Structure formats: C-alpha cells, structure tokens
Amino acid sequence: MMHYSEMTGGKLRELRQKLDLSIRELADRWGVGKSTLHREEDKDAVRQLYADAIRYLEQQAASGPTA
C-alpha cells in the first residue's frame, strides 16, 4: 500500500526548481527514472517518500554547507 502526502506535484516541481535541480539530476540522485519524477510532478498528491525526500533536500540547502 502506498502512502500519499498532502504535497501536490506542482509543489514538488516548485521545490525541485528552487533547489536548481533538473529532473535528470534529481532522478540520478534518488536512483529513480526520470519518468517516475515526471509522473509524480503531474499528480494531485505525491507519494510520501518523495515529499519527505524533497523536504529533506530543502532543509539541507537551507542549513548551508557543513565544514
């Protein structure tokens, strides 16, 4: 059973673009196909896994580089 989040595909796309990542870069980073991310970005509610992962990347970017 898949769990879906409150995050829309549009919000996932917005966060990915805010992080300056292309679909290909994010797909490579997460080990998924580009078509998987395209499908998620077209959904009304993305899978919780992807919502959590993009929020994690957003938090990492906000905290800046670590020494």
Side-chain angles (χ1 to χ4, degrees):
M1 178 160 91
M2 294 195 200
H3 298 281
Y4 291 88
S5 71
E6 299 293 321
M7 182 182 288
T8 65
K11 182 65 174 176
L12 177 65
R13 181 181 302 109
E14 178 185 314
L15 290 173
R16 176 182 56 77
Q17 290 171 341
K18 179 181 170 186
L19 293 167
D20 197 29
L21 293 169
S22 70
I23 288 264
R24 169 172 265 156
E25 290 168 328
L26 191 57
D28 288 347
R29 185 174 191 156
W30 287 352
V32 298
K34 293 184 301 182
S35 60
T36 299
L37 292 181
H38 279 291
R39 284 191 304 270
E40 288 298 317
E41 288 187 355
D42 288 339
K43 291 182 177 179
D44 290 332
V46 302
R47 285 185 266 178
Q48 190 66 49
L49 171 70
Y50 298 116
D52 291 345
I54 197 75
R55 286 185 186 120
Y56 176 79
L57 292 178
E58 183 182 34
Q59 289 173 353
Q60 292 300 307
S63 67
T66 56

Coordinates of all heavy atoms in Angstrom, one line a residue:
M1 N 0.8 -1.2 0.0 CA 0.0 0.0 0.0 C 0.9 1.2 0.0 O 1.8 1.3 0.8 CB -0.9 0.0 1.2 CG -1.8 1.2 1.3 SD -3.2 1.0 2.4 CE -2.5 1.5 4.0
M2 N 0.6 2.2 -0.9 CA 1.4 3.4 -1.0 C 0.7 4.5 -0.1 O -0.5 4.6 -0.1 CB 1.5 3.8 -2.4 CG 2.3 2.9 -3.2 SD 2.8 3.7 -4.8 CE 3.1 2.3 -5.8
H3 N 1.6 5.3 0.5 CA 1.1 6.4 1.2 C 1.3 7.7 0.5 O 2.4 7.9 0.0 CB 1.8 6.5 2.6 CG 1.6 5.2 3.4 ND1 0.4 5.1 4.1 CD2 2.3 4.1 3.6 CE1 0.5 3.9 4.8 NE2 1.6 3.3 4.5
Y4 N 0.2 8.5 0.4 CA 0.3 9.7 -0.3 C 0.3 10.9 0.7 O -0.3 10.9 1.7 CB -0.8 9.9 -1.3 CG -0.7 8.9 -2.5 CD1 -1.2 7.6 -2.4 CD2 0.0 9.2 -3.6 CE1 -1.0 6.7 -3.4 CE2 0.2 8.3 -4.6 CZ -0.3 7.0 -4.5 OH -0.1 6.2 -5.5
S5 N 1.0 12.0 0.3 CA 1.1 13.1 1.1 C 0.1 14.2 0.7 O -0.6 14.1 -0.2 CB 2.6 13.7 1.0 OG 2.7 14.3 -0.3
E6 N 0.2 15.3 1.4 CA -0.6 16.5 1.1 C 0.1 17.3 0.1 O -0.5 18.3 -0.4 CB -0.8 17.3 2.4 CG -1.6 16.6 3.5 CD -3.0 16.3 3.1 OE1 -3.7 17.2 2.5 OE2 -3.5 15.2 3.5
M7 N 1.3 17.0 -0.3 CA 2.1 17.7 -1.3 C 1.6 17.4 -2.7 O 1.4 16.3 -3.1 CB 3.6 17.4 -1.2 CG 4.4 18.2 -2.2 SD 6.2 17.8 -2.1 CE 6.6 18.6 -0.5
T8 N 1.4 18.5 -3.5 CA 1.0 18.3 -4.8 C 2.2 18.1 -5.7 O 3.3 18.5 -5.3 CB 0.2 19.5 -5.4 OG1 1.0 20.7 -5.4 CG2 -1.1 19.8 -4.5
G9 N 1.9 17.6 -6.9 CA 3.0 17.5 -7.9 C 3.6 18.9 -8.2 O 4.8 19.0 -8.4
G10 N 2.8 19.9 -8.3 CA 3.2 21.2 -8.6 C 4.2 21.8 -7.5 O 5.2 22.4 -7.8
K11 N 3.9 21.4 -6.2 CA 4.8 21.8 -5.1 C 6.1 21.1 -5.2 O 7.2 21.7 -5.0 CB 4.1 21.6 -3.8 CG 4.9 22.0 -2.6 CD 5.1 23.5 -2.6 CE 5.8 23.9 -1.3 NZ 6.1 25.4 -1.3
L12 N 6.1 19.8 -5.6 CA 7.3 19.0 -5.7 C 8.2 19.7 -6.8 O 9.4 19.9 -6.6 CB 7.0 17.6 -6.1 CG 8.1 16.7 -6.4 CD1 9.0 16.5 -5.2 CD2 7.7 15.3 -7.0
R13 N 7.5 20.0 -8.0 CA 8.2 20.7 -9.1 C 8.8 22.0 -8.6 O 10.0 22.4 -8.9 CB 7.3 20.9 -10.2 CG 8.0 21.6 -11.4 CD 7.0 21.8 -12.6 NE 6.3 20.6 -13.0 CZ 5.1 20.3 -12.8 NH1 4.3 21.1 -12.2 NH2 4.6 19.2 -13.3
E14 N 8.0 22.8 -7.9 CA 8.5 24.1 -7.4 C 9.7 24.0 -6.5 O 10.7 24.7 -6.6 CB 7.3 24.8 -6.6 CG 7.6 26.1 -6.0 CD 6.5 26.6 -5.1 OE1 5.3 26.5 -5.6 OE2 6.7 27.1 -4.0
L15 N 9.7 23.0 -5.6 CA 10.8 22.8 -4.7 C 12.1 22.3 -5.4 O 13.2 22.8 -5.2 CB 10.5 21.8 -3.5 CG 9.5 22.4 -2.5 CD1 9.0 21.3 -1.6 CD2 10.0 23.5 -1.8
R16 N 11.8 21.4 -6.4 CA 13.0 20.9 -7.2 C 13.6 22.1 -8.0 O 14.9 22.2 -8.0 CB 12.5 19.9 -8.2 CG 13.6 19.4 -9.1 CD 13.1 18.4 -10.2 NE 12.0 18.8 -11.0 CZ 12.1 19.7 -12.0 NH1 13.3 20.2 -12.3 NH2 11.0 20.0 -12.7
Q17 N 12.8 23.0 -8.5 CA 13.3 24.1 -9.3 C 14.0 25.1 -8.3 O 15.0 25.7 -8.7 CB 12.2 24.8 -10.1 CG 11.8 23.9 -11.2 CD 10.5 24.4 -11.9 OE1 9.8 25.2 -11.4 NE2 10.3 23.9 -13.1
K18 N 13.4 25.3 -7.1 CA 14.0 26.2 -6.1 C 15.5 25.7 -5.8 O 16.4 26.5 -5.5 CB 13.1 26.2 -4.9 CG 13.6 27.1 -3.8 CD 12.7 27.1 -2.6 CE 13.3 27.7 -1.4 NZ 12.4 27.6 -0.2
L19 N 15.6 24.4 -5.7 CA 16.9 23.8 -5.4 C 17.8 23.7 -6.6 O 18.9 23.2 -6.6 CB 16.7 22.4 -4.9 CG 16.0 22.3 -3.5 CD1 15.6 20.9 -3.2 CD2 16.9 22.8 -2.4
D20 N 17.3 24.3 -7.8 CA 18.1 24.3 -9.0 C 18.5 22.9 -9.5 O 19.7 22.7 -9.9 CB 19.3 25.3 -8.9 CG 19.9 25.7 -10.2 OD1 19.1 25.8 -11.2 OD2 21.1 25.9 -10.3
L21 N 17.6 22.0 -9.4 CA 17.9 20.6 -9.8 C 17.0 20.3 -11.0 O 15.8 20.6 -11.1 CB 17.5 19.6 -8.7 CG 18.4 19.6 -7.5 CD1 17.8 18.8 -6.4 CD2 19.8 19.2 -7.8
S22 N 17.6 19.7 -12.1 CA 16.8 19.2 -13.2 C 16.2 17.9 -12.8 O 16.5 17.3 -11.8 CB 17.7 19.0 -14.4 OG 18.6 17.9 -14.2
I23 N 15.2 17.5 -13.6 CA 14.6 16.2 -13.4 C 15.7 15.1 -13.4 O 15.7 14.2 -12.6 CB 13.5 15.9 -14.5 CG1 12.3 16.8 -14.3 CG2 13.1 14.4 -14.5 CD1 11.2 16.2 -13.5
R24 N 16.6 15.2 -14.4 CA 17.6 14.2 -14.5 C 18.5 14.1 -13.3 O 18.8 13.1 -12.8 CB 18.5 14.4 -15.8 CG 19.7 13.6 -15.8 CD 20.5 13.7 -17.1 NE 20.0 12.6 -17.9 CZ 20.0 12.5 -19.2 NH1 20.4 13.5 -19.9 NH2 19.5 11.4 -19.8
E25 N 18.9 15.3 -12.8 CA 19.8 15.4 -11.6 C 19.1 14.8 -10.4 O 19.7 14.0 -9.7 CB 20.2 16.8 -11.3 CG 21.1 17.4 -12.3 CD 21.3 18.9 -12.2 OE1 20.3 19.6 -11.8 OE2 22.4 19.4 -12.5
L26 N 17.9 15.1 -10.2 CA 17.2 14.6 -9.1 C 16.9 13.1 -9.2 O 17.1 12.3 -8.2 CB 15.8 15.3 -8.8 CG 15.1 15.0 -7.5 CD1 16.0 15.4 -6.3 CD2 13.8 15.9 -7.5
A27 N 16.6 12.6 -10.4 CA 16.4 11.2 -10.6 C 17.6 10.4 -10.4 O 17.6 9.4 -9.7 CB 15.9 11.0 -12.1
D28 N 18.8 10.9 -10.9 CA 20.0 10.3 -10.6 C 20.4 10.2 -9.1 O 20.8 9.2 -8.6 CB 21.2 11.0 -11.4 CG 21.1 10.7 -12.9 OD1 20.4 9.8 -13.3 OD2 21.8 11.5 -13.6
R29 N 20.1 11.3 -8.4 CA 20.4 11.4 -7.0 C 19.6 10.4 -6.2 O 20.1 9.8 -5.2 CB 20.1 12.8 -6.5 CG 20.5 13.1 -5.1 CD 20.3 14.6 -4.8 NE 20.9 14.9 -3.6 CZ 21.4 16.1 -3.2 NH1 21.3 17.1 -4.0 NH2 21.9 16.3 -2.0
W30 N 18.3 10.3 -6.6 CA 17.4 9.4 -5.9 C 17.4 8.0 -6.4 O 16.8 7.1 -5.8 CB 16.0 9.9 -5.9 CG 15.8 11.1 -5.0 CD1 16.7 11.7 -4.1 CD2 14.6 12.0 -5.0 NE1 16.1 12.8 -3.5 CE2 14.9 13.0 -4.0 CE3 13.4 12.0 -5.6 CZ2 13.9 14.0 -3.7 CZ3 12.5 12.9 -5.3 CH2 12.8 13.9 -4.4
G31 N 18.1 7.7 -7.5 CA 18.1 6.4 -8.1 C 16.8 5.9 -8.7 O 16.4 4.7 -8.6
V32 N 16.0 6.9 -9.3 CA 14.8 6.5 -9.9 C 14.9 7.0 -11.4 O 15.7 7.8 -11.7 CB 13.6 7.2 -9.2 CG1 13.4 6.6 -7.8 CG2 13.6 8.7 -9.2
G33 N 13.9 6.6 -12.2 CA 13.9 7.0 -13.5 C 13.3 8.4 -13.6 O 12.5 8.9 -12.8
K34 N 13.6 9.1 -14.7 CA 13.1 10.5 -14.9 C 11.6 10.4 -15.1 O 10.9 11.3 -14.6 CB 13.7 11.1 -16.2 CG 15.2 11.4 -16.1 CD 15.7 12.1 -17.3 CE 15.5 11.3 -18.5 NZ 16.0 11.9 -19.8
S35 N 11.1 9.4 -15.7 CA 9.6 9.3 -15.9 C 8.9 9.1 -14.6 O 7.8 9.6 -14.5 CB 9.3 8.1 -16.9 OG 9.8 6.9 -16.3
T36 N 9.5 8.5 -13.6 CA 8.9 8.5 -12.3 C 8.7 9.9 -11.7 O 7.6 10.2 -11.2 CB 9.8 7.6 -11.3 OG1 9.9 6.3 -11.8 CG2 9.2 7.6 -9.9
L37 N 9.7 10.7 -11.8 CA 9.5 12.1 -11.3 C 8.6 12.9 -12.1 O 7.8 13.7 -11.6 CB 10.9 12.8 -11.3 CG 11.9 12.2 -10.2 CD1 13.2 13.0 -10.2 CD2 11.2 12.2 -8.8
H38 N 8.6 12.7 -13.5 CA 7.6 13.3 -14.3 C 6.2 13.0 -13.8 O 5.3 13.9 -13.7 CB 7.7 13.0 -15.8 CG 8.8 13.8 -16.5 ND1 8.7 15.1 -16.7 CD2 10.0 13.4 -16.9 CE1 9.8 15.5 -17.3 NE2 10.6 14.5 -17.5
R39 N 5.9 11.7 -13.6 CA 4.6 11.3 -13.2 C 4.2 11.8 -11.8 O 3.1 12.3 -11.6 CB 4.5 9.7 -13.1 CG 4.4 9.1 -14.4 CD 4.1 7.6 -14.3 NE 5.0 6.8 -13.5 CZ 6.1 6.2 -14.0 NH1 6.4 6.3 -15.3 NH2 6.9 5.6 -13.2
E40 N 5.2 11.9 -10.9 CA 4.9 12.4 -9.6 C 4.6 13.9 -9.7 O 3.7 14.4 -9.0 CB 6.1 12.2 -8.6 CG 6.3 10.8 -8.2 CD 5.1 10.2 -7.4 OE1 4.6 10.9 -6.5 OE2 4.8 9.1 -7.6
E41 N 5.3 14.6 -10.5 CA 5.0 16.1 -10.7 C 3.7 16.4 -11.3 O 3.2 17.5 -11.2 CB 6.2 16.8 -11.4 CG 7.4 16.9 -10.6 CD 8.6 17.7 -11.3 OE1 8.4 18.1 -12.5 OE2 9.6 17.9 -10.6
D42 N 3.1 15.4 -12.0 CA 1.8 15.6 -12.6 C 0.6 15.2 -11.7 O -0.5 15.4 -12.0 CB 1.7 14.7 -13.9 CG 2.5 15.3 -15.0 OD1 2.9 16.5 -15.0 OD2 2.9 14.6 -15.9
K43 N 0.9 14.6 -10.5 CA -0.1 14.1 -9.6 C -0.7 15.2 -8.7 O 0.0 16.2 -8.4 CB 0.5 13.0 -8.7 CG 0.8 11.8 -9.4 CD 1.3 10.7 -8.4 CE 1.6 9.4 -9.0 NZ 2.1 8.5 -8.0
D44 N -1.9 15.0 -8.2 CA -2.5 15.9 -7.3 C -1.9 15.7 -5.9 O -1.9 16.6 -5.1 CB -4.0 15.6 -7.2 CG -4.7 16.1 -8.4 OD1 -4.3 17.0 -9.1 OD2 -5.8 15.5 -8.8
A45 N -1.5 14.4 -5.6 CA -0.8 14.1 -4.3 C 0.3 13.2 -4.6 O 0.1 12.1 -5.1 CB -1.8 13.5 -3.3
V46 N 1.5 13.6 -4.2 CA 2.7 12.7 -4.5 C 2.9 11.7 -3.4 O 2.3 11.9 -2.3 CB 4.0 13.6 -4.7 CG1 3.9 14.6 -5.8 CG2 4.4 14.3 -3.4
R47 N 3.6 10.7 -3.7 CA 3.9 9.7 -2.7 C 4.7 10.3 -1.5 O 5.5 11.1 -1.7 CB 4.6 8.5 -3.3 CG 3.7 7.6 -4.1 CD 4.5 6.4 -4.6 NE 5.0 6.7 -5.9 CZ 5.7 5.9 -6.6 NH1 6.0 4.7 -6.1 NH2 6.1 6.2 -7.8
Q48 N 4.4 9.9 -0.3 CA 5.0 10.4 0.9 C 6.5 10.3 0.8 O 7.2 11.2 1.3 CB 4.5 9.7 2.1 CG 4.9 10.4 3.4 CD 4.3 11.7 3.6 OE1 3.1 11.9 3.4 NE2 5.1 12.7 3.9
L49 N 7.1 9.3 0.3 CA 8.5 9.1 0.1 C 9.1 10.3 -0.6 O 10.2 10.8 -0.1 CB 8.8 7.8 -0.7 CG 10.2 7.5 -1.1 CD1 11.1 7.2 0.2 CD2 10.3 6.4 -2.1
Y50 N 8.6 10.7 -1.7 CA 9.1 11.8 -2.5 C 8.9 13.1 -1.8 O 9.8 14.0 -1.8 CB 8.6 11.8 -3.9 CG 8.9 10.5 -4.6 CD1 7.9 9.7 -5.1 CD2 10.2 10.2 -4.9 CE1 8.3 8.5 -5.7 CE2 10.6 9.0 -5.5 CZ 9.6 8.2 -6.0 OH 9.9 7.0 -6.6
A51 N 7.8 13.3 -1.1 CA 7.5 14.5 -0.4 C 8.6 14.7 0.7 O 9.1 15.8 0.9 CB 6.1 14.5 0.2
D52 N 8.8 13.6 1.5 CA 9.8 13.7 2.6 C 11.2 13.9 2.0 O 12.0 14.7 2.6 CB 9.8 12.4 3.4 CG 8.5 12.2 4.2 OD1 7.7 13.1 4.4 OD2 8.3 11.0 4.6
A53 N 11.5 13.3 0.9 CA 12.9 13.4 0.4 C 13.1 14.8 -0.1 O 14.2 15.4 0.1 CB 13.1 12.4 -0.8
I54 N 12.2 15.5 -0.8 CA 12.4 16.8 -1.3 C 12.5 17.8 -0.2 O 13.3 18.7 -0.2 CB 11.4 17.2 -2.4 CG1 11.9 18.4 -3.2 CG2 10.0 17.5 -1.8 CD1 12.9 18.1 -4.2
R55 N 11.7 17.6 0.9 CA 11.7 18.5 2.1 C 13.1 18.3 2.8 O 13.6 19.3 3.3 CB 10.6 18.1 3.0 CG 9.2 18.6 2.5 CD 8.2 18.4 3.6 NE 6.9 18.7 3.0 CZ 5.9 17.9 2.9 NH1 6.0 16.6 3.3 NH2 4.7 18.3 2.4
Y56 N 13.6 17.1 2.8 CA 14.9 16.9 3.4 C 16.0 17.7 2.6 O 16.8 18.4 3.2 CB 15.3 15.4 3.4 CG 16.7 15.1 3.9 CD1 16.9 15.1 5.3 CD2 17.7 14.9 3.1 CE1 18.2 14.9 5.8 CE2 19.0 14.6 3.5 CZ 19.2 14.6 4.9 OH 20.5 14.4 5.3
L57 N 15.9 17.6 1.3 CA 16.9 18.3 0.5 C 16.8 19.8 0.7 O 17.8 20.6 0.7 CB 16.7 18.0 -1.0 CG 17.1 16.6 -1.4 CD1 16.8 16.4 -2.9 CD2 18.6 16.3 -1.1
E58 N 15.5 20.3 0.8 CA 15.3 21.7 1.1 C 15.9 22.2 2.4 O 16.5 23.2 2.5 CB 13.8 22.0 1.1 CG 13.4 23.4 1.2 CD 11.9 23.7 1.3 OE1 11.2 22.8 1.8 OE2 11.5 24.7 0.8
Q59 N 15.7 21.3 3.4 CA 16.3 21.6 4.8 C 17.8 21.6 4.7 O 18.5 22.5 5.3 CB 15.8 20.6 5.8 CG 14.4 20.8 6.2 CD 13.9 19.6 7.1 OE1 14.6 18.7 7.3 NE2 12.7 19.7 7.5
Q60 N 18.4 20.7 4.0 CA 19.8 20.6 3.8 C 20.4 21.9 3.1 O 21.4 22.4 3.5 CB 20.3 19.4 3.1 CG 20.0 18.1 3.8 CD 20.8 18.0 5.1 OE1 22.0 18.2 5.2 NE2 20.1 17.8 6.2
A61 N 19.7 22.4 2.1 CA 20.1 23.5 1.4 C 20.0 24.8 2.3 O 20.8 25.7 2.2 CB 19.2 23.7 0.1
A62 N 18.9 24.8 3.1 CA 18.7 26.0 4.0 C 19.8 26.1 5.1 O 20.2 27.2 5.5 CB 17.3 25.9 4.6
S63 N 20.3 24.9 5.5 CA 21.3 24.9 6.6 C 22.7 25.2 6.0 O 23.6 25.5 6.8 CB 21.3 23.6 7.3 OG 21.8 22.5 6.5
G64 N 22.8 25.2 4.7 CA 24.1 25.6 4.1 C 25.1 24.5 4.2 O 24.9 23.4 4.7
P65 N 26.3 24.7 3.6 CA 27.3 23.7 3.6 C 27.9 23.4 5.0 O 27.9 24.3 5.8 CB 28.4 24.2 2.7 CG 28.2 25.7 2.7 CD 26.7 25.9 3.0
T66 N 28.2 22.2 5.2 CA 28.8 21.8 6.5 C 30.4 21.7 6.3 O 30.8 21.3 5.3 CB 28.3 20.5 7.0 OG1 28.5 19.5 6.0 CG2 26.8 20.6 7.3
A67 N 31.0 22.1 7.4 CA 32.5 22.1 7.3 C 33.1 20.8 7.7 O 32.6 19.9 8.2 CB 33.1 23.1 8.3

